[in-house]
Amino acid sequence: MSHSKMSLPADFERVLLVKPEVSVYKIGPRPNNKGYRAADWNLASPDWTGRMRIVSKGDRCIIRLEDKVTGQLFGECPIDEWPSIAVETVLDSCRYFVIRLSDVSGRYAFIGIGFTDRGDSFDFNVAISDHFKWLKQSQEIEKEEANPGPKMDLSLKAGQTITINLKSKTPAAGGGERKDNPRPRPAASSFTGILPPPPGAKITGKQDLGPLFRAGGTPMPANVPAPSPINQLQSGPRTGNLIDDDWGAFSSSGGSNNTANSNNNSTDWVSFS
């Protein structure tokens, strides 16, 4: 016996299934070796109708037919193994069975039972098969407890060690987690509102920002470059020739260029002649 069964009294019964209505039929001898057929019974007029209970008592499973009102026992079918000759299905339906009733004196008789619903017949089969599955598992556990196999020795022998590699993050100086690839922050903008001079320009001194900047109270930057020579030329006073004749500068410069070109050309042509 397993420990669970040893702790229970011998007359303890466990209810496995209860069906409130089951029909009972008187049947004749077995017609052939194949089995019984429910169509041969008078299904429209059952000989008895009552309640069915399936209980387990020790290793045995018992089917009991009882009166619905008084609970008086009509008959019981003990089952010692599964599958068993005590319970047999018919050939032409899944809702009807043939069971073997027996009494204390050892007499027995075969009767037919039937359910109105297929779900009830399914529960009937499952309740009996589950009982014997549980019984088989209990017996296997008892065998293992009686004959335990060799136990595995998982302890470390002398000189054996275990190495465990754990990947941990190194904390940063401030106590937080260190980031492998920190994202660079954009540099703060140093734009002061004045663009620098073009490359190659000659810086002569500080630039005068004029009354527009000074009126607003904006401080003068210390490193502001002076305007380029082109701006100084345009902002400086004009000579008399430029005022009298807008084309004077161009003509004088053009004349000198023409003279130099003519000299060069003359010498070039002399060389070819």
Side-chain angles (χ1 to χ4, degrees):
M1 295 284 181
S2 63
H3 297 294
S4 60
K5 290 188 285 184
M6 289 177 64
S7 61
L8 298 177
D11 57 348
F12 178 80
E13 294 182 355
R14 184 164 59 98
V15 178
L16 304 178
L17 181 68
V18 176
K19 290 300 178 182
E21 185 174 354
V22 63
S23 301
V24 176
Y25 304 90
K26 291 182 179 179
I27 60 176
R30 181 187 294 269
N32 50 50
N33 294 331
K34 293 181 179 180
Y36 294 90
R37 295 177 60 89
D40 299 336
W41 308 341
N42 188 8
L43 300 179
S45 301
D47 296 293
W48 184 84
T49 303
R51 178 181 63 195
M52 183 189 71
R53 283 196 311 141
I54 302 178
V55 299
S56 65
K57 188 176 181 180
D59 296 342
R60 176 176 289 187
C61 182
I62 303 172
I63 301 172
R64 289 178 178 171
L65 303 178
E66 303 170 343
D67 186 83
K68 293 181 179 180
V69 181
T70 63
Q72 183 180 1
L73 181 64
F74 175 80
E76 65 180 15
C77 170
I79 308 171
D80 297 327
E81 60 182 1
W82 188 258
S84 174
I85 60 173
V87 179
E88 182 181 353
T89 58
V90 298
L91 300 175
D92 56 347
S93 177
C94 64
R95 295 186 293 112
Y96 297 92
F97 303 86
V98 175
I99 63 175
R100 184 181 66 179
L101 299 181
S102 62
D103 57 8
V104 295
S105 63
R107 297 180 300 176
Y108 61 88
F110 289 93
I111 63 171
I113 63 172
F115 301 96
T116 57
D117 189 6
R118 291 183 179 180
D120 294 338
S121 62
F122 176 80
D123 296 340
F124 174 76
N125 276 316
V126 170
I128 300 174
S129 62
D130 284 350
H131 166 75
F132 286 97
K133 287 180 181 178
W134 168 81
L135 184 62
K136 183 178 180 181
Q137 292 176 357
S138 300
Q139 292 173 353
E140 292 177 354
I141 293 174
E142 290 178 1
K143 292 180 181 179
E144 292 178 358
E145 293 178 353
N147 300 316
K151 296 182 179 179
M152 297 180 63
D153 187 8
L154 302 179
S155 60
L156 294 177
K157 304 299 185 293
Q160 291 183 342
T161 58
I162 296 177
T163 303
I164 301 176
N165 296 326
L166 299 178
K167 294 182 178 180
S168 60
K169 296 182 178 180
T170 305
E177 295 182 355
R178 186 184 66 181
K179 296 182 179 180
D180 296 336
N181 296 321
R183 180 179 298 178
R185 295 183 178 180
S189 177
S190 58
F191 181 70
T192 58
I194 302 174
L195 296 178
K202 184 177 180 182
I203 299 175
T204 57
K206 302 296 182 180
Q207 181 180 1
D208 188 5
L209 297 180
L212 178 62
F213 289 90
R214 291 195 298 273
T218 304
M220 292 289 292
N223 56 351
V224 177
S228 62
I230 299 177
N231 295 334
Q232 292 181 353
L233 178 62
Q234 292 178 356
S235 59
R238 295 186 177 184
T239 59
N241 294 333
L242 294 178
I243 295 175
D244 297 337
D245 187 5
D246 293 337
W247 296 94
F250 294 95
S251 60
S252 60
S253 61
S256 60
N257 291 335
N258 293 334
T259 305
N261 293 332
S262 61
N263 295 332
N264 293 333
N265 293 336
S266 61
T267 56
D268 293 339
W269 285 109
V270 171
S271 61
F272 282 103
S273 61

